Amino acid sequence: MRTVSPAELDRERAHLERAREELARMRERTAGLTARAGDRVSAEALELTLARRLAQLADDPHVPLFFGRLDHDEPAGGGVFHVGRRHVSDTAGDPLVVDWRAPVSAAFYRATRHDPMGVEVRRRYGFARGVLTGFEDEVLSGPETSAAEHSEILEQEIERPRTGPMRDIVATIQPEQDVIVRSELGRTVVVQGAPGTGKTAVGLHRAAYLLYAFRDQVTRRGMTVVGPNASFLRYIRAVLPALGEVDATQTTVEELVAAHGRLRGTEPAAVARLKGDARMAQVLRRAVWSHLADPVEAMVLPRGSRRWRVPAHEARDAVAHVVGRDLRYDAGREALRYALAHRVLQQIEASGDALDDKAWDVLARTKAVKDYAATLWPVLSPARLLHRLLADPELLARASDGILTPAEQQAIAWDVPPRSPGTARWTLADLVLLDELADLLERAPSVAHVVVDEAQDLSPMMLRALGRRARTGSLTVLGDLAQATTPWGVRSWDDALHHLGKPDGHVEQLTAGFRVPGDVIEYAARLLPRIAPELAPPVAVRRARGELLLTTTPTVDLVRAALARDGSVGLIVPDGGVADARRGLVAAGLAFAVVGEEDPSASDGPDGGDDDATEFDARLDLVPASLAKGLEFDHVVLDDPAGIVAGESEHESGLRRLYVCLTRAVTSLAVRHDDDVPAELGAP
């Protein structure tokens, strides 16, 4: 590494100040533009574009505009480029900062001494609250080239204590991560990532890259980010806006299917697993198409003084022809009306009557044709059909014959059927079935790209629901099979890709842990031979080993010790232990927020937390074990590991849950136990 020159540091600070001034000018110029168009719709679209551009030009003085620099050698054309979160140019249009997603920036992440990619020097900057404090130069080519050295700035950025929601990793993206981030829009990628490998950040940065590289296409068709729960979405909410992107919709599977009904019920895990089985797609398809009736009478269409007839056998042929076109159910009913009308049209033309160009459409819309088509191809609704299927054992038996066993049919059927679809206490698995039915009736629209995190916990039917929303697009699928904690989750990424409808998708495996320290990840990895023996164990690449403590010390004392240090603190407890933990923190006078509580006022009273604290904005978060997945804290206090395992319906699922909770720490992990650490973890 080259030695930092004070004069050079001053020049870099001046460049940063100039870049901020030019960004302010760009924002002021955009704010002064007026949306003028030929019509109201165009004007609104232009106003939206300007508002989006204004948001992209926002400047946070605590976030550096650039984090790196590339000095190209002469054969590559020379030139110096500062790499940052967004493009900044001067009044002449010359770049002061190039966007990290631009092609020229790829070398910042991928260049090596073996393949410098035309780069002579790569510079990394150190910042403290937006103030440039130093830099490191790595010489990649030329006479001064030296052996690879450790980057203090890179390590400090990865390990920097923080509070609040997840932040971007744009300054620390590693080469293997960048390859995934810059994958083409048309490619579906699965990222199998061990804890601390940055898979969630990689997925979000790929979303930002696609919005940059394929902006028109992605903006026009849409992008959706799907997380496991609302708390997780609040945790990642700031990443894309920090990268200048505000166009992605963030949601959960529950929210995606909420249009079909209200989530009001729960059910045993075995029933939910069965309803989430891919075989249910066959059952539902058969149930839908079983409603087609066989014509037994001719269709009669009065027109003027004449009555035109379509014999039953011709109507039967029309139905068979439409079914053979493999249309959605509702589109098929529409096509049948036109097929029947076409047969009448042929008879009228053969009689010598003159018809205009609209005659076919007019005939298809007559009451006689519509009523006759409805008897053969009745109108269906997802809710009414699923209600009948689960309430009527005979209908379920016909639809499931050869697909589900009698015992499985009995398991999913309602013991006491609700009187109507409106009174049904739909479960999440039911809503996903309703989503499948809705697509069988009418084709669901597709977006350009879907990013789905914690995908290992999704059932085959949930994956089908997500795949439909990217039917003509692509997906970034993020997860870790070792962290699968639902009974219905997939156990193979090949199976997941099949259910998503993307069998040609590519699987990338990340095993280099940049966030979880070595002592912590190695301790948690003792569970892998039991919960995921087929996966390669994660490898911590940080020099710092972190801190691991197994103790019987009272929980509150451990939390106080963690709060005495810099950074965020997470107290992870079994779901059933949240109330006791809350009371203990309140009695100790510690301010905290409870993950999963959207309204802090819900914790008012003697057992409540800090009325003003919201999850991820407080220094201390109380985390139910079921909501720990995907979260990170500088310091973690894990209370009652045996209770976390016992909280799941199956022992192996409990071990997976424990594996998740053990790997949430960035710096230190304290495990408080009662001398009952699960045997799979071995001796302390």
Side-chain angles (χ1 to χ4, degrees), residues 412-679:
I412 65 173
W414 282 325
D415 294 330
V416 181
R419 288 180 297 175
S420 68
T423 60
R425 298 185 65 81
W426 300 119
T427 65
L428 178 57
D430 291 332
L431 293 179
V432 175
L433 295 180
L434 289 172
D435 192 74
E436 181 83 19
L437 282 170
D439 185 68
L440 287 169
L441 301 183
E442 186 175 348
R443 187 182 182 92
S446 172
V447 299
H449 195 74
V450 172
V451 178
V452 52
D453 205 352
E454 306 299 348
Q456 75 280 347
D457 283 337
L458 301 180
S459 71
M461 293 301 289
M462 291 175 181
L463 291 169
R464 286 176 61 87
L466 295 178
R468 283 192 288 277
R469 286 159 174 83
R471 183 179 283 114
T472 60
S474 59
L475 300 100
T476 301
V477 182
L478 313 169
D480 179 9
L481 296 176
Q483 297 185 54
T485 53
T486 59
W488 48 82
V490 293
R491 295 295 181 260
S492 157
W493 290 125
D494 286 340
D495 289 346
L497 287 168
H498 172 74
H499 299 314
L500 288 166
K502 306 291 182 182
D504 57 345
H506 181 68
V507 180
E508 294 278 357
Q509 186 165 355
L510 298 178
T511 58
F514 298 95
R515 299 291 293 166
V516 184
D519 283 353
V520 173
I521 196 64
E522 289 170 12
Y523 181 67
R526 295 181 182 184
L527 297 174
L528 288 179
R530 174 67 182 271
I531 63 176
E534 72 283 0
L535 293 181
V539 178
V541 298
R542 289 162 47 187
R543 292 189 302 173
R545 297 291 299 172
E547 300 170 28
L548 172 64
L549 173 67
L550 276 74
T551 179
T552 57
T553 300
T555 302
V556 168
D557 292 346
L558 296 173
V559 171
R560 280 203 178 98
L563 288 170
R565 308 175 66 176
D566 290 336
S568 57
V569 178
L571 169 58
I572 303 177
V573 301
D575 285 21
V578 171
D580 287 343
R582 185 200 299 262
R583 284 190 288 270
L585 295 176
V586 170
L590 299 177
F592 64 96
V594 181
V595 171
E597 285 189 357
E598 299 183 37
D599 181 8
S601 64
S603 58
D604 287 347
D607 294 336
D610 187 341
D611 291 349
D612 298 322
T614 56
E615 56 184 354
F616 314 126
D617 290 327
R619 276 212 59 211
L620 170 62
D621 281 304
L622 174 58
V623 188
S626 63
L627 296 180
K629 195 170 294 182
L631 309 182
E632 285 184 350
F633 302 93
D634 292 298
H635 310 285
V636 168
V637 176
L638 190 151
D639 186 42
D640 190 10
I644 291 175
V645 175
E648 300 297 321
S649 58
E650 300 174 353
H651 185 69
E652 186 167 310
S653 295
L655 293 177
R656 292 174 185 272
R657 181 75 70 192
L658 179 58
Y659 178 73
V660 171
C661 296
L662 288 170
T663 54
R664 301 304 95 197
V666 176
T667 300
S668 72
L669 169 66
V671 179
R672 194 218 66 82
H673 59 92
D674 295 315
D675 293 322
D676 56 354
V677 174

Side-chain angles (χ1 to χ4, degrees), residues 221-491:
R221 296 176 52 202
M223 174 180 285
T224 303
V225 177
V226 182
N229 52 61
S231 291
F232 179 84
L233 293 180
R234 287 189 287 273
Y235 179 64
I236 67 169
R237 66 183 184 268
V239 175
L240 287 175
L243 298 173
E245 298 300 344
V246 294
D247 284 336
T249 300
Q250 299 188 10
T251 187
T252 63
V253 170
E254 178 181 329
E255 291 173 350
L256 280 177
V257 300
H260 306 299
R262 182 182 172 191
L263 178 60
R264 301 172 59 195
T266 58
E267 58 196 349
V271 176
R273 178 195 288 137
L274 186 53
K275 288 181 178 178
D277 193 301
R279 292 176 296 162
M280 287 301 298
Q282 298 173 263
V283 174
L284 297 180
R285 173 174 287 275
R286 187 183 288 177
V288 166
W289 291 99
S290 69
H291 285 76
L292 298 187
D294 185 51
V296 295
E297 296 180 351
M299 184 188 79
V300 180
L301 172 62
R303 186 172 185 269
S305 61
R306 302 194 60 174
R307 294 164 65 84
W308 304 95
R309 298 169 60 85
V310 176
H313 72 273
E314 289 192 19
R316 188 176 298 111
D317 290 342
V319 171
H321 175 72
V322 173
V323 170
R325 294 172 59 186
D326 197 27
L327 300 172
R328 289 297 191 272
Y329 184 86
D330 287 354
R333 187 176 59 255
E334 182 88 355
L336 177 61
R337 290 197 294 108
Y338 278 88
L340 294 170
H342 181 66
R343 281 161 171 77
V344 175
L345 183 67
Q346 288 177 314
Q347 295 178 38
I348 295 174
E349 290 176 337
S351 71
D353 284 1
L355 297 172
D356 60 25
D357 294 339
K358 299 180 180 179
W360 190 14
D361 188 61
V362 171
L363 289 171
R365 294 177 183 275
T366 59
K367 186 176 186 302
V369 172
K370 291 168 66 175
D371 289 350
Y372 187 79
T375 64
L376 305 181
W377 205 298
V379 175
L380 300 178
S381 84
R384 286 197 295 270
L385 178 52
L386 187 59
H387 176 267
R388 285 184 55 218
L389 190 66
L390 299 181
D392 183 349
E394 291 186 2
L395 176 60
L396 180 58
R398 290 195 301 271
S400 304
D401 184 36
I403 302 174
L404 302 180
T405 67
E408 289 173 329
Q409 296 172 30
Q410 184 178 2
I412 65 173
W414 282 325
D415 294 330
V416 181
R419 288 180 297 175
S420 68
T423 60
R425 298 185 65 81
W426 300 119
T427 65
L428 178 57
D430 291 332
L431 293 179
V432 175
L433 295 180
L434 289 172
D435 192 74
E436 181 83 19
L437 282 170
D439 185 68
L440 287 169
L441 301 183
E442 186 175 348
R443 187 182 182 92
S446 172
V447 299
H449 195 74
V450 172
V451 178
V452 52
D453 205 352
E454 306 299 348
Q456 75 280 347
D457 283 337
L458 301 180
S459 71
M461 293 301 289
M462 291 175 181
L463 291 169
R464 286 176 61 87
L466 295 178
R468 283 192 288 277
R469 286 159 174 83
R471 183 179 283 114
T472 60
S474 59
L475 300 100
T476 301
V477 182
L478 313 169
D480 179 9
L481 296 176
Q483 297 185 54
T485 53
T486 59
W488 48 82
V490 293
R491 295 295 181 260

